[in-house]
Each structure stands twice: as structure tokens, then as C-alpha cells.
Amino acid sequence: MISKAGKALNGHLDHRNPLVFDTHELGRRPGALKRLTRSVDAPGSPVLGIDGVIGVPEGAPVELDLRLESVMEGVLVTGTARATAEGECVRCLEPLTVEVDADFQEMFSYPDADDRGRSSAAEPADDAEDDEDRFFLEDGLFDLESMLRDAVVLALPMQPVCKETCAGLCSECGIRLDENPDHHHDALDIRWAALQGLAETVQDGEKDNMGGAEPGVDEKQEK
């Protein structure tokens, strides 16, 4: 797995990618601010969402509202992504759509930023662990895709339903219960199943005996 830092520093970002943004206009001036909006196609492979459950289809429009603010360490990116996700109800398996409104905020650090918050006695291993959790600018560019994926996943329901009152499917035959509210099956309590089998056996035996005389009857008549 490539770390956030490694991906940013070694990924050679392409400014033509719609999810790559340029911060050069901020000029590394703390306090400088830039707002922008952009409509992009949802990336795929993996899906933008929860794979196999619900997600924004590849190529579907994603509306981005971003705020880029220059600070001492880098650029603070705050934004909102809006899109429509598709999936199926976990109860009745009917198709459904969910409007996604995902908020996010992340710091993209300058590669040469002064890490004033670190202790002078910090070990190299500690520095490496810190870098794993950081995003970096590359030649003034940053890639929003990783942060966008995380934000959308958090904004989506883990167990999507078509409606909160969805009754789901019949466990016996699979019929949709919302469309058949009176649907039911007469089920035998398994605790009585053995007794019912015994009763049927006794009844069958009685029927067989009714076809002939009881033992000893002929002898009494002869006497």
C-alpha cells in the first residue's frame, strides 16, 4: 500500500486530471484564499462508494465546491462533494438512489515545510509514521481523489434501505412484503412436529384394524 506522502511526492500528478488542482495562484502567502467550483466525472475502479453495496456510478457527475487557503505549512483544502449514488435496498433488494453530500477538509503540506511541531529529539521512525498520515503538494498541485473517496464512503449508509419501514422479503418464498401486507405461511411449530408424526401413525394403525374382527371374537361366537 502506497502511503499518502509517497503517492503525492512520487505520483507525478497530471494537471489535466480533473481531480488535480493547482495552488500556484496562492503564491505561498499565508492568508491567501481561493474558491472554486468544478463538475467532474466520478472515478471508477474501485467504485466511488462502498463496493458491492452502494456508490456513485463511474462517469456520473460530481459537483465540487472548494476553498483553498494558504497557511504556513501548506494549503488547507475545505470542500463539499455532491453526487447521486446508486445501490439496492438491503431488505427487499429493490434499486435505490441516495443523494450524497460529503464534506471534507485536509491539509496539503509543502514538501519543504518546516515541521515546527516536531520535537528535536524525534526518532526517524516517528517521522516516517507522521508522513504516512500526511498529504503533500507536488509542484504546487494536489490530487483530491483519495480524500474524495474517503469522504463519500463516510457519507453513504452502510445498510441502505428504500425506506425506513421497508418490510423486506418473505423468508419462505421471497415475495416483497410491502406489496403483499397480508401474505403469510402456515408454519408448524417444530416442537410439535414429532407429536404430529406419532398421531398420524396411530391413526393409520386404527384404520387398518377397522378392516377385520378383533382377536377372540370368532371363538366367543362359536361357544
Side-chain angles (χ1 to χ4, degrees):
M1 180 177 179
I2 301 176
S3 70
K4 296 177 182 178
K7 182 176 180 180
L9 291 173
N10 302 318
H12 303 295
L13 301 182
D14 184 352
H15 69 277
R16 295 169 296 182
N17 184 332
L19 287 173
V20 171
F21 294 83
D22 193 333
T23 67
H24 284 101
E25 290 184 19
L26 299 176
R28 297 188 69 160
R29 300 184 304 273
L33 186 67
K34 179 180 180 181
R35 297 180 183 273
L36 56 88
T37 60
R38 182 179 295 182
S39 180
V40 302
D41 293 339
S45 186
V47 67
L48 185 61
I50 306 171
D51 193 23
V53 179
I54 188 170
V56 182
E58 183 176 1
V62 179
E63 304 300 327
L64 299 174
D65 292 320
L66 300 180
R67 179 179 185 270
L68 313 183
E69 182 180 3
S70 178
V71 295
M72 290 294 295
E73 304 86 30
V75 176
L76 180 65
V77 178
T78 306
T80 300
R82 297 180 178 86
T84 301
E86 298 179 0
E88 64 179 27
C89 176
V90 295
R91 297 178 187 170
C92 68
L93 307 183
E94 287 293 305
L96 58 78
T97 59
V98 174
E99 296 303 316
V100 184
D101 198 340
D103 297 324
F104 49 84
Q105 184 177 72
E106 189 64 64
M107 169 70 73
F108 286 86
S109 301
Y110 298 122
D112 58 349
D114 179 19
D115 299 326
R116 298 177 181 178
R118 294 184 180 179
S119 169
S120 59
E123 297 292 334
D126 295 333
D127 293 346
E129 290 179 1
D130 290 342
D131 285 347
E132 288 285 336
D133 298 324
R134 301 174 68 193
F135 286 98
F136 286 89
L137 293 169
E138 180 187 326
D139 296 329
L141 304 175
F142 69 86
D143 188 347
L144 192 66
E145 182 173 341
S146 178
M147 183 168 58
L148 177 62
R149 289 186 181 280
D150 291 344
V152 170
V153 167
L154 292 175
L156 287 171
M158 297 295 292
Q159 299 287 326
V161 292
C162 58
K163 59 181 180 180
E164 292 300 325
T165 58
C166 177
L169 303 176
C170 173
S171 59
E172 295 288 333
C173 64
I175 195 170
R176 192 162 182 254
L177 296 177
D178 277 350
E179 298 176 352
N180 300 271
D182 298 325
H183 175 77
H184 70 282
H185 294 271
D186 293 328
L188 175 67
D189 192 326
I190 60 174
R191 293 172 297 180
W192 297 101
L195 291 178
Q196 183 185 34
L198 178 60
E200 291 174 351
T201 301
V202 171
Q203 290 175 359
D204 291 342
E206 291 176 349
K207 290 179 182 179
D208 292 340
N209 290 335
M210 289 177 64
E214 295 181 1
V217 172
D218 293 339
E219 295 179 0
K220 292 179 181 179
Q221 290 177 349
E222 290 176 357
K223 293 179 180 180

